[in-house]
Amino acid sequence: MLAESLIALAGAGGTALVGAMATDAWQTVRAGAARLFTRGGPERQRAIADRLDHDAELVARAAEPERVRQGLAPAWQVEWEALLTERPELADELQGFVERTVAALPRAEQNWTLNVTAHGHGRAYGALGGNVVVHEAAQPAPGAQPDPPAPGGPGEAAEGPR
């Protein structure tokens, strides 16, 4: 399973890649993405190159390019995740690609979409261009008995004057 940091990096890669589609930076960004995918072999590289061209054309023809980009970003995140699963050593190169791509985007395309999902008892935090500050109540030490619920809490009738 891919580490959370690599999943986040793949998400940033997907968002940056589709953000560059149909912009002046596209040819440079496309070349950089294709170069990273060469590590998957020539057949995969051709498939990725065709898909890059197809998706960029979808964005270019769209009446609402941002809506199309939002739809394409998760699919490209999955592609980056697959690449990083096979070749985790490419993480630094993908990070550099994301940074260069975002820097090359027109200001209007530097908007980000963030999807944060937690499963089970997991926690998920996210921030775009800012800080995440988390405050939590102290957790009981392992093996310690939790405090009993306060009277009138969920499932109990509060007792009061009769």
Side-chain angles (χ1 to χ4, degrees), residues 1-3 6-11 13-14 36-37 39-41 44 48 51 73-91 94:
M1 183 170 180
L2 208 54
L6 293 180
I7 292 170
L9 176 58
L36 277 166
F37 280 104
R39 309 297 186 10
R44 184 172 185 191
I48 290 293
R51 187 164 164 208
W76 281 104
Q77 175 177 348
V78 170
E79 288 291 348
W80 290 122
E81 286 178 14
L83 182 66
L84 290 172
T85 298
E86 295 168 16
R87 307 286 306 272
E89 70 274 10
L90 294 178
L94 178 55

Side-chain angles (χ1 to χ4, degrees), residues 22-87:
T23 68
D24 291 341
W26 176 241
Q27 289 307 314
T28 302
V29 170
R30 183 198 177 285
R35 193 170 22 259
L36 277 166
F37 280 104
T38 60
R39 309 297 186 10
E43 194 171 298
R44 184 172 185 191
Q45 183 187 12
R46 275 191 300 279
I48 290 293
D50 290 345
R51 187 164 164 208
L52 286 166
D53 294 338
H54 174 265
D55 289 358
E57 183 63 27
L58 285 175
V59 173
R61 289 190 333 239
E64 297 178 54
E66 274 311 304
R67 191 177 70 73
V68 176
R69 285 183 178 108
Q70 287 176 0
L72 293 172
W76 281 104
Q77 175 177 348
V78 170
E79 288 291 348
W80 290 122
E81 286 178 14
L83 182 66
L84 290 172
T85 298
E86 295 168 16
R87 307 286 306 272

Side-chain angles (χ1 to χ4, degrees), residues 48-159:
I48 290 293
D50 290 345
R51 187 164 164 208
L52 286 166
D53 294 338
H54 174 265
D55 289 358
E57 183 63 27
L58 285 175
V59 173
R61 289 190 333 239
E64 297 178 54
E66 274 311 304
R67 191 177 70 73
V68 176
R69 285 183 178 108
Q70 287 176 0
L72 293 172
W76 281 104
Q77 175 177 348
V78 170
E79 288 291 348
W80 290 122
E81 286 178 14
L83 182 66
L84 290 172
T85 298
E86 295 168 16
R87 307 286 306 272
E89 70 274 10
L90 294 178
D92 288 340
E93 287 184 56
L94 178 55
Q95 180 66 46
F97 168 81
V98 169
E99 291 169 3
R100 288 187 305 277
T101 299
V102 171
L105 292 177
R107 189 74 184 144
E109 304 306 326
Q110 290 183 1
N111 296 321
W112 291 84
T113 300
L114 175 66
N115 297 309
V116 180
T117 306
H119 298 280
H121 296 289
R123 294 183 183 151
Y125 306 97
L128 294 174
N131 297 320
V132 175
V133 179
V134 179
H135 299 278
E136 293 185 11
Q139 299 296 315
Q145 294 294 322
D147 291 333
E156 288 186 37
E159 293 200 23

